[in-house]
Amino acid sequence: MIGHAERAARFAADDARAHWHDQALWWVRAKRDKAASAVPDWERLRGLASAIKAHTQSRLADYLEEFERNATAAGARVHWARDAEEHNAIVHRILADRGATRLVKSKSMLTEECHLNPYLEARGIEVVDTDLGERIVQLAHEPPSHIVLPAIHRKKEEIGELFHHKLGTAAGLSDPKVLTEAARGHLRERFMRAQAGLTGVNFAVAETGHVVVCTNEGNADMGTSLPPIHIACMGVEKLVPRLADLAVFLRLLARSATGQPTTTYTTHFLGPLRGGELHIVVVDNGRSRLLADETFRRALHCIRCGACMNTCPVFRRSGGYSYAYTIPGPIGSVLAPSVDPRAHASLPFASSLCGSCDDVCPVRIPLHDQLLARRRDAARAGLLSSGKRLGMRLAGMVLRSGFLYLLASRLGKLLGRALPRRILYGRWNVWGRQRELPPLPRESFRDLYRQHRSERRG
Ligand code: SF4
């Protein structure tokens, strides 16, 4: 089974693309910084969001029941799904019972996680993703490569070519405005003929029984106001207790995701449209297992803003597909091993542990601590490659012994100076393919420290 490093190497082999991807995401990160620093009580908001999440999780069953009571009283139907299979079957049954065969969808990572599209398509239902980025990857038969910017890995020229083949636009188009117009025309027709609309859920409020969906394109609103059936799919972790809690998260979400003060459309759905139906499918799919795990439960605080991906030096240079999991980046590397520890054993190592993800996470998930804990779990479960096991064992021996450490650092300094470049940067030096070693200092820290101390003693 190939791991993250091998898949990342494929992405990084196209140097221009990797560089452009890195810059594009860094631009989003810089916008996030500007937006966050314009809010004077940003750190307090982060603390508050984390506390609200922790409190909700401590009484999750009660709040879920309260949500169901209030949503039902408002006219919605609440369905419970233990796993992806149950979720997909519920959505299919709602559609099949009403003879609906044309579904428009607004972005939902949960339905990606459950592989809903292929499930429904295999049963004769046409599924159209209506978020522009999602539609691009759907037309290209690819999964999203980022949770907020699903087609960030594609250049506008490639999208022009894709639209030419799939939507019949003129060849050679690359103007984003023209391409967006073409997609809008194509989607309008799909909205008009849809028999049902499905959305994800950004937040659900126990106190009121309503769900909140945030988009920048208004596609969730189009998809739920034209057809008579609205299906909203949410993980159990989307719940907040009170309406007042929403304000905290809405202030954090858009600023962290794209640097906007708020998403263009923030829609509150309480009960169905007149004459219509609102179905809310609440999904566990491994979340209560994660909740029971003291080390990793804070990963469930995630509000899917994508900020940890935009800042991560590994994600930016290796692309979302190198993670081979629905949610990539630092949070994906924490979540994926709880689904399949063996298949995703390499992901916790896709991190420099620089802690930048912790710094930007609006709900203060200690991501780098959790990544470290995942590494430890993978090592204990015997899931590391023999090369990594040997390397770690050797490093452990050297770092535990003062003598070996001194010897290794002296030897390293000597070899670093003496070896010719073609040997130093030979095939075996994977690290050296992307960067230069810094010039080795004449004196080590140990030498300087000794010298300083003897000078002070006089
Ligand atoms: S872990 Fe934090 S930064 Fe990453 S997507 Fe979730 S909320 Fe955003």
Side-chain angles (χ1 to χ4, degrees), residues 147 302-308 331 361-363 365 367:
I147 59 174
C302 177
I303 57 170
R304 305 286 191 264
C305 70
C308 57
I331 183 66
C361 178
V363 282
I365 301 173
L367 287 158

Side-chain angles (χ1 to χ4, degrees), residues 295-314:
T295 312
F296 299 110
R297 71 167 58 122
R298 279 178 73 184
L300 279 180
H301 290 195
C302 177
I303 57 170
R304 305 286 191 264
C305 70
C308 57
M309 287 154 220
N310 303 338
T311 200
C312 176
V314 178

Side-chain angles (χ1 to χ4, degrees), residues 361-390:
C361 178
V363 282
R364 289 207 177 134
I365 301 173
L367 287 158
H368 89 276
D369 283 342
Q370 297 197 343
L371 287 166
L372 209 52
R374 286 285 186 216
R375 289 184 188 189
R376 192 191 51 225
D377 288 355
R380 284 186 184 154
L383 297 174
L384 304 190
S385 67
S386 48
K388 199 179 277 288
R389 270 205 313 272
L390 183 67

